[in-house]
Amino acid sequence: MRRDIFQAIADPTRRAIIALIAIQAMTPNAIAEHFDSTRQAISKHLKVLTECQLLKQEQQGREIYYQLEIDKMKEVDKWLEQFRKIWETRFSQLDDLLSTLKKQN
């Protein structure tokens, strides 16, 4: 089953996991140490993130390490870019308005 990437990142715990793994690949136990959740709950979050291809697993000896799929994060960034442009335009218009008002006073 392939999950929706935006559904996956809607959860604050999953976003925190992404932030941790963005720094370095980690084992499920190492990830779980950062949360007040059970190891099973963290495993479920990892499963969702893996199913939507935000994380990938790499076997190193007996350990499984999770690492971030940067290309998938770029997909999210690309989608957000359209809104970023709108916000920047509106902030620029607000700056212009405030400058005009300031000159009038």
Side-chain angles (χ1 to χ4, degrees):
M1 175 181 166
R2 184 147 185 257
R3 293 184 184 255
D4 180 77
I5 195 169
F6 295 100
Q7 176 188 11
I9 62 175
D11 185 277
T13 300
R14 289 194 283 266
R15 288 192 307 269
I17 290 170
I18 290 169
L20 277 173
I21 293 176
I23 298 168
Q24 69 180 24
M26 299 176 80
T27 65
N29 287 333
I31 295 166
E33 290 174 4
H34 291 86
F35 298 93
D36 289 331
S37 301
T38 64
R39 169 68 170 75
Q40 291 79 12
I42 295 303
S43 289
K44 287 181 182 180
H45 287 301
L46 291 171
K47 181 180 179 190
V48 169
L49 292 168
T50 302
E51 286 174 353
C52 70
Q53 300 174 341
L54 275 169
L55 302 182
K56 65 180 175 182
Q57 300 176 1
E58 184 179 306
Q59 187 86 30
Q60 293 181 7
R62 295 189 313 172
E63 296 287 345
I64 295 174
Y65 283 82
Y66 285 87
Q67 55 189 0
L68 188 60
E69 279 286 359
I70 297 297
D71 289 339
K72 215 47 170 162
M73 289 302 293
K74 287 178 185 175
E75 195 177 301
V76 175
D77 184 57
K78 184 178 177 181
W79 185 81
L80 287 172
E81 181 62 28
Q82 63 187 328
F83 299 103
R84 193 175 298 119
K85 289 177 182 176
I86 293 169
W87 300 328
E88 287 172 357
T89 300
R90 289 188 179 170
F91 285 135
S92 179
Q93 290 171 344
L94 181 59
D95 282 343
D96 293 345
L97 176 64
L98 292 174
S99 292
T100 302
L101 291 173
K102 190 175 181 180
K103 288 177 185 176
Q104 291 176 355
N105 289 332

